[in-house]
């Protein structure tokens, strides 16, 4: 029988939200017994298209927690549980009798996981935990302005906060279980949608800090597009263009060598030697940017997609990925090659094509073929086990130390999509040693101001500058890795083996090593050697179309006047608000914790595999299924205001608000709160939920008219006082809101230091534990820790001097 990483663990899932559902789904995938506690009538999630995915492998028990007898059953189940998951609004679990204090008293080994919208005891704790409110409060909607064919903020359809929060809580639970293996004690683990949103900012925070501290009135954060024209060279490196036969392509040429390869393929390499184009691709003049942009767009639309594919085969450093829609990612050749797509037959659903596990674990693989449960399918079984009593007790004084203290991760990864995953574990106590090239990892200097682009992914790490292409450099890597727990690498396919840094080579020096492959596409297969960056994967996976599909024109007959604005819209849709980098990094951290916990539970060393592509499949799980009769997934309206009249953006006489009142109880509060409530409450078109759905456009028009009576800030105050989700849509940039009053109200901020930026505000760790500690450390310059680390691993003064002289290492 196949071993599973989490076999023997019992999980009680009280959540009826996507966030908790995805946590429980992953725990079930890897062998935990996950019991979904459903209210009579069933979880609301059952009506969503993604239910067969989110609920796969779980058991269903129906309990009415307001009934004392059923509550007693739930409390009996807690006595033998290892994990509880809940996503109620703050205080609700306590009122129901299943809060942490009550349950930990019954079972001191319990790991209790909570996700809220805005955290407990913060300035926004009273707000319902809807994604739309988080997006509005922190400026995401305004940042996406220009994506719609209108002015004003734009609704973000991709569930960026929910996926990130699910993975943060999953990591926290796995970390608490890992720590419990030694301490014997459980604890409370918490995160929020608002905190989770911050994972999608690779460098905005650091760049804003640099602009504030060193701008002198001259350095400013420019928008990505100004007057319809891209403002920076990055937009040309990551070109979005239409082919002759009407296919949108996303190019991936961020580093200089890849950009030069594209220019060579386009027949434009001569521009690098022409004084007229000396600034390429970072032009000060808007006219020059427009001229260059149109040259590129015209070249791409001179050939068909098939002709460009042949060109990419001839020039492998150039890649233009096609923009996919809906669930098309499930048919991507690399997804199928990686075995990250499954299609089991489920009773009541037929064949359900869906994403595989979030990670492949070679020794403890997931089981993702088990069906979702029927409502109450396991009632008798679960109730029969509820009377058992736990004999386990926690130690009198469990440790409050860093839970991952003693774990060492050696990072061979670059940019953000894998490295930030190691950063997150570093905040929980892991030591992260980054072996980076002598000039520094490429992200460090991706922006005009030195170092800031890579700062966030470098936080808390030790930098060793080493040339791994040399024999001496590989020997350094072998010495360090011999004492490591995890190696994290994200090279393109084949590169690790060429360098002698593949799993087989490294296990020869460390048999107990967990080896994590985290590429963009794969370690082998049809796309493994293609360049992969956040927009490339976002295009391939369908992020852009999920966000902006209703407004993007297609067809071979589009002229430049139509192509240019659509290119800008796709650029916003694929990268603004969130991105594939963040989805990948957060999944990388979860996979590493699965590997660590499995090893601590006796399963030994193994290979881990995640890809950016498959990570986004999980991030887009609400649309990433195919089966007969599946319900439609809600999509934004043609104006990109929102999903429907009671979950959308509205303009007021001063600024915009986001209104979130989708449930019946929200409607009742809303019509009570409006000064002119009678116009809604007494209108037969809006009498029931079904009536409101049938007359959605009329309801939106009526609410819009009512909202003209007051400015946005007054509506937020009034409606929040009645328990209605309504916030002013904050202006961007997003990081300014997290760095400012909103972040302070959430108590998210702490202070750090940087060798170039000096003292700076930064985020606290995104996971909170009731007992275990977390930490924040600063980011190093390249090679800053080379000398200290290599001395630790036995290198003498003479050896270090010789290595510097030969150009093998750099010491800061």
């Amino acid at each position: 029988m196949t071993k599973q990483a989490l076999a023997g663990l019992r999980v009680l899932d009280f959540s009826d939200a996507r966030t908790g559902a995805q946590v429980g789904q992953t725990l079930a995938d890897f062998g935990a017994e996950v019991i979904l506690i459903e209210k009579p009538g069933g979880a609301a999630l059952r009506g969503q298209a993604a239910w067969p995915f989110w609920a796969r492998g779980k058991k269903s028990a129906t309990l009415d927690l307001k009934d004392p007898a059923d509550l007693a059953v739930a409390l009996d189940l807690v006595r033998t549980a290892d994990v509880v998951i809940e996503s109620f609004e703050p205080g609700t679990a306590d009122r129901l009798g299943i809060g942490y204090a009550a349950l930990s008293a019954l079972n001191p080994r319990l790991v209790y996981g909570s996700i809220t919208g805005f955290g407990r005891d913060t300035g926004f704790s009273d707000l319902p935990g809807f994604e739309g409110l988080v997006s509005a409060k922190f400026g995401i909607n305004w940042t996406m302005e220009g994506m719609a064919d209108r002015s004003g903020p734009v609704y973000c359809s991709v569930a960026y906060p929910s996926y990130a929060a699910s993975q943060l809580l999953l990591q926290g639970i796995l970390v608490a279980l890992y720590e419990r293996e030694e301490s014997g004690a459980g604890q409370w683990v918490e995160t929020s949608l608002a905190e989770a949103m911050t994972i999608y900012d690779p460098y905005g925070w650091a760049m804003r800090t640099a602009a504030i501290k060193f701008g002198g009135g001259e350095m400013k954060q420019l928008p990505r597009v100004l007057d319809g024209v891209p403002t920076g060279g990055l937009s040309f490196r990551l070109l979005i263009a239409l082919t002759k036969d009407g296919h949108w392509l996303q190019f991936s040429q961020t580093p200089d060598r890849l950009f030069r390869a594209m220019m060579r393929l386009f027949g434009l390499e001569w521009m690098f030697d022409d004084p007229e184009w000396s600034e390429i691709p970072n032009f000060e003049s808007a006219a020059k940017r427009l001229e260059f942009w149109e040259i590129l767009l015209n070249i791409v639309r001179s050939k068909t997609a098939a002709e460009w594919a042949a060109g990419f085969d001839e020039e492998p450093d150039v890649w233009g990925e096609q923009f996919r829609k809906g669930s098309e990612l499930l048919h991507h050749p690399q997804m199928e090659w990686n075995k990250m797509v499954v299609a089991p037959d489920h009773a009541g659903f037929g064949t359900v094509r869906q994403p595989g596990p979030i990670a492949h674990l070679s020794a403890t693989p997931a089981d993702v073929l088990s069906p979702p449960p029927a409502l109450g399918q396991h009632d008798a079984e679960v109730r029969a086990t509820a009377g058992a009593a736990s004999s386990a007790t926690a130690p009198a004084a469990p440790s409050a130390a860093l839970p991952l203290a003693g774990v060492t991760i050696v990072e061979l990864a670059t940019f953000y999509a894998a490295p930030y995953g190691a950063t997150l574990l570093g905040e929980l106590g892991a030591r992260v040693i980054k072996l980076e090239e002598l000039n520094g990892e490429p992200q460090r200097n991706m922006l005009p101001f030195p170092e800031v682009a890579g700062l966030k992914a470098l936080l808390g790490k030790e930098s060793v500058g080493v040339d791994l292409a040399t024999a001496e450099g590989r020997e350094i890597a072998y010495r360090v890795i011999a004492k490591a727990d995890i190696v994290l690498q994200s090279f393109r396919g084949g590169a690790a083996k060429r360098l002698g840094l593949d799993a087989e080579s490294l296990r020869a020096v460390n048999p107990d090593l967990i080896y994590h492959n985290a590429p963009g596409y794969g370690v082998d297969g049809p796309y493994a050697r293609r360049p992969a960056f956040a927009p490339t994967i976002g295009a391939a996976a369908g992020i852009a179309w999920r966000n902006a599909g209703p407004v993007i024109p297609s067809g071979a007959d589009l002229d430049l006047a139509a192509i240019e604005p659509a290119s800008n819209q796709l650029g916003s849709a694929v990268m603004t608000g969130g991105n594939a980098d963040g989805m990948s990094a957060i999944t990388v951290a979860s996979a590493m914790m699965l590997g660590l916990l499995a090893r601590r539970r006796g399963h030994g060393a193994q290979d881990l595999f995640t890809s950016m592509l498959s990570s986004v499949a999980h991030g887009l799980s609400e649309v990433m299924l195919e089966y007969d009769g599946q319900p439609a997934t809600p999509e934004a309206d043609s104006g990109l205001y929102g999903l429907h009249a009671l979950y959308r953006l509205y303009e007021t006489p001063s600024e915009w608000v986001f209104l979130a009142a989708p449930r019946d109880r929200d409607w009742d509060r809303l019509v009570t709160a409006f000064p002119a409530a009678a116009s809604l409450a007494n209108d037969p078109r809006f009498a029931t939920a079904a009536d409101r759905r049938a007359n959605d456009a009329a309801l939106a028009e009526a609410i819009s008219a009512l909202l003209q009576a007051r400015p946005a800030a007054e509506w937020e105050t009034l409606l929040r006082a009645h328990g209605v989700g309504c916030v002013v849509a904050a202006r961007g940039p997003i990081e300014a809101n997290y760095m400012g009053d909103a972040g302070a109200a959430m108590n998210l901020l702490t202070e750090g230091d940087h060798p170039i930026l000096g003292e700076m505000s930064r985020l606290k760790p995104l996971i909170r534990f009731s007992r275990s500690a977390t930490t924040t450390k600063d980011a190093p310059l390249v090679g800053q820790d080379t000398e200290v680390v290599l001395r630790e691993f036995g290198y003498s003064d003479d050896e270090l001097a010789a290595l510097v002289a030969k150009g093998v290492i750099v010491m800061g």
Side-chain angles (χ1 to χ4, degrees):
M1 183 176 178
T2 302
K3 297 181 291 185
Q4 287 195 277
L6 307 181
L9 296 178
R10 170 173 275 195
V11 179
L12 302 182
D13 183 359
F14 290 98
S15 175
D16 193 8
R18 171 194 172 150
T19 48
Q22 286 200 262
V23 177
Q25 168 240 310
T26 302
L27 297 176
D29 282 353
F30 287 93
E33 179 194 29
V34 179
I35 303 170
L36 179 61
I37 306 299
E38 299 190 69
K39 62 187 176 183
L45 291 179
R46 282 187 174 272
Q48 297 195 23
W51 173 256
F53 172 70
W54 292 336
R56 69 186 182 195
K58 299 180 183 179
K59 297 179 177 180
S60 170
T62 52
L63 294 174
D64 182 354
L65 297 179
K66 296 178 181 179
D67 180 320
D70 277 4
L71 176 60
V73 172
L75 296 180
D76 278 342
L77 289 171
V78 167
R79 298 178 196 277
T80 55
D82 297 281
V83 177
V84 158
I85 303 167
E86 65 92 5
S87 58
F88 299 113
E89 292 173 12
T92 301
D94 289 324
R95 289 194 296 273
L96 289 172
I98 56 168
Y100 174 69
L103 300 195
S104 62
L106 296 174
N107 181 355
R109 287 177 52 82
L110 185 69
V111 173
Y112 186 100
S114 299
I115 296 177
T116 58
F118 294 90
R120 291 183 302 123
D121 302 322
T122 74
F124 309 130
S125 296
D126 62 301
L127 285 168
F130 293 118
E131 277 194 348
L133 297 176
V134 173
S135 296
K137 178 58 71 175
F138 288 96
I140 292 167
N141 306 118
W142 270 108
T143 305
M144 302 179 86
E145 184 184 20
M147 198 171 78
D149 295 323
R150 60 172 178 80
S151 61
V154 170
Y155 178 71
C156 180
S157 291
V158 176
Y160 292 122
S162 284
Y163 183 66
S166 74
Q167 295 306 299
L168 285 173
L169 187 63
L170 175 63
Q171 290 155 36
I173 288 171
L174 295 172
V175 167
L177 290 169
Y178 178 88
E179 191 274 346
R180 192 186 73 167
E181 289 287 319
E182 185 171 276
S183 73
Q187 57 185 313
W188 194 357
V189 184
E190 297 180 85
T191 192
S192 69
L193 298 180
E195 289 164 290
M197 255 319 296
T198 65
I199 71 152
Y200 298 105
D201 168 32
Y203 51 73
W205 190 298
M207 196 64 196
R208 182 173 181 82
T209 300
I212 292 170
K213 298 188 81 163
F214 303 109
E218 297 178 4
M219 184 186 293
K220 297 179 180 178
Q221 284 183 293
L222 289 174
R224 190 183 60 83
V225 175
L226 189 62
D227 297 328
V229 181
T231 57
L234 190 59
S235 293
F236 304 131
R237 294 174 185 269
L238 298 172
L239 177 69
I240 296 172
L242 193 70
T243 66
K244 185 177 182 178
D245 52 345
H247 294 278
W248 286 101
L249 298 182
Q250 170 71 69
F251 286 80
S252 301
Q253 315 306 129
T254 301
D256 285 342
R257 67 180 181 83
L258 299 188
F259 179 65
R260 280 186 168 270
M262 183 179 81
M263 294 292 284
R264 185 166 57 247
L265 181 64
F266 284 8
L268 299 176
E269 197 170 19
W270 58 267
M271 284 185 167
F272 291 107
D273 299 317
D274 188 328
E276 180 184 353
W277 300 98
S278 61
E279 296 177 297
I280 193 169
N282 300 306
F283 305 102
E284 287 290 331
S285 163
K288 207 65 181 173
R289 293 197 300 272
L290 177 60
E291 183 182 358
F292 181 63
W293 188 31
E294 292 188 340
I295 289 171
L296 300 181
L297 293 175
N298 279 321
I299 286 173
V300 174
R301 71 176 183 145
S302 70
K303 296 181 180 181
T304 66
E307 289 171 327
W308 280 116
F312 302 149
D313 289 340
E314 294 174 5
E315 184 65 79
D317 278 342
V318 185
W319 178 233
E321 177 64 90
Q322 291 196 31
F323 282 81
R324 286 171 172 78
K325 307 173 185 178
S327 60
E328 290 176 2
L329 174 60
L330 295 176
H331 302 275
H332 193 290
Q334 190 67 45
M335 284 284 288
E336 294 180 331
W337 178 275
N338 292 339
K339 295 182 172 56
M340 285 297 196
V341 178
V342 296
D345 289 328
H346 292 332
F349 297 96
T351 300
V352 182
R353 193 173 183 87
Q354 58 188 285
I358 64 164
H360 285 317
L361 277 62
S362 62
T364 57
D367 173 11
V368 296
L369 303 180
S370 299
L375 177 61
Q377 179 178 339
H378 304 92
D379 276 352
E381 173 191 341
V382 169
R383 288 174 182 270
T385 66
S390 172
S391 59
T393 58
S399 169
L402 292 164
L404 296 185
V407 172
T408 297
I409 301 169
V410 175
E411 182 179 299
L412 305 177
T414 57
F415 288 97
Y416 190 83
Y420 183 61
T423 302
L424 290 169
L425 299 194
E427 292 181 339
L428 307 182
R431 180 188 189 187
V432 184
I433 301 174
K434 184 176 182 69
L435 304 183
E436 58 179 318
E437 57 192 79
L438 301 181
N439 292 326
E441 100 112 87
Q443 191 182 7
R444 283 182 180 271
N445 298 306
M446 204 174 77
L447 295 173
F449 195 94
E451 291 289 342
V452 299
L455 187 153
K456 187 173 178 182
L458 290 162
L459 289 170
K461 298 179 181 179
E462 298 168 56
S463 170
V464 175
V466 56
D467 184 354
L468 294 174
T470 65
E472 297 93 336
R474 283 192 294 276
E475 174 57 29
I476 289 170
Y478 292 160
R479 283 205 208 180
V480 175
I481 290 167
K483 296 184 179 180
D485 297 284
I486 301 177
V487 162
L488 172 64
Q489 74 90 6
S490 64
F491 300 129
R492 276 199 262 173
K497 191 167 185 63
R498 288 195 303 272
L499 290 168
L501 297 171
D502 56 301
E504 183 179 2
S505 300
L506 297 183
R507 282 230 179 79
V509 300
N510 184 349
D512 202 30
L513 185 68
I514 297 167
Y515 188 92
H516 189 161
N517 286 297
Y521 284 108
V523 295
D524 52 17
Y527 287 57
R529 296 178 186 268
R530 300 297 192 188
F533 296 93
T536 327
I537 300 298
I543 282 179
W545 230 265
R546 178 74 178 132
N547 275 328
V551 300
I552 302 300
S554 296
D557 58 343
L558 299 182
D559 59 14
L560 278 183
I563 291 172
E564 288 174 2
S567 173
N568 288 333
Q569 288 171 313
L570 282 171
S572 292
V574 80
M575 281 295 287
T576 307
N579 49 64
D581 271 351
M583 287 184 179
S584 175
I586 200 77
T587 309
V588 162
S590 296
M592 286 194 288
M593 276 314 308
L594 280 166
L596 280 170
L597 180 57
R599 192 180 69 171
R600 179 162 271 194
R601 300 186 82 221
H603 296 299
Q606 60 180 312
D607 294 348
L608 314 179
F609 172 79
T610 58
S611 73
M612 293 177 69
L613 206 59
S614 58
S615 298
V616 180
H618 285 256
L620 291 173
S621 61
E622 75 277 12
V623 297
M624 210 54 64
L625 288 92
E626 294 175 356
Y627 58 94
D628 290 340
Q630 73 184 75
T633 300
E635 294 184 351
D637 57 71
S638 60
L640 303 186
Y641 293 100
L643 298 181
H644 52 75
L646 295 173
Y647 198 82
R648 56 159 281 178
L649 291 153
Y650 285 98
E651 190 172 13
T652 77
S654 172
E655 295 295 340
W656 292 62
V657 295
F658 191 89
L659 176 68
R663 302 164 298 193
D664 285 346
R665 66 176 181 268
D666 298 320
W667 170 258
D668 294 338
R669 293 169 183 170
L670 179 66
V671 295
T672 301
F674 267 128
S679 64
L680 294 179
N682 298 329
D683 193 320
R685 295 175 299 172
F686 314 138
T688 67
D691 293 329
R692 294 189 285 275
R693 286 192 297 271
N695 296 285
D696 188 71
L699 179 56
E701 184 178 350
I703 292 174
S704 181
L706 289 171
L707 290 172
Q708 296 308 305
R710 299 171 183 236
E714 290 186 19
W715 283 122
E716 176 175 341
T717 300
L718 174 63
L719 296 183
R720 279 178 66 177
H722 284 78
V724 177
C726 178
V727 299
V728 177
R731 298 271 178 166
I734 298 168
E735 58 271 14
N737 293 303
Y738 278 100
M739 295 169 78
D741 292 342
M746 285 280 300
N747 193 27
L748 299 179
L749 307 178
T750 186
E751 294 300 315
D753 192 39
H754 187 263
I756 292 177
L757 295 179
E759 293 183 3
M760 61 177 291
S761 175
R762 57 160 292 185
L763 289 164
K764 293 179 179 177
L766 306 179
I767 303 171
R768 294 176 304 288
F769 299 90
S770 59
R771 176 170 51 79
S772 290
T774 57
T775 185
T776 55
K777 296 180 182 178
D778 298 317
L781 298 179
V782 62
Q784 181 174 312
D785 306 289
T786 303
E787 181 177 359
V788 171
V789 171
L790 295 195
R791 286 187 187 282
E792 176 188 341
F793 285 91
Y795 284 87
S796 67
D797 289 348
D798 290 344
E799 287 174 312
L800 291 175
L803 290 168
V804 171
K806 290 184 69 174
V808 175
I809 63 172
V810 62
M811 298 195 298

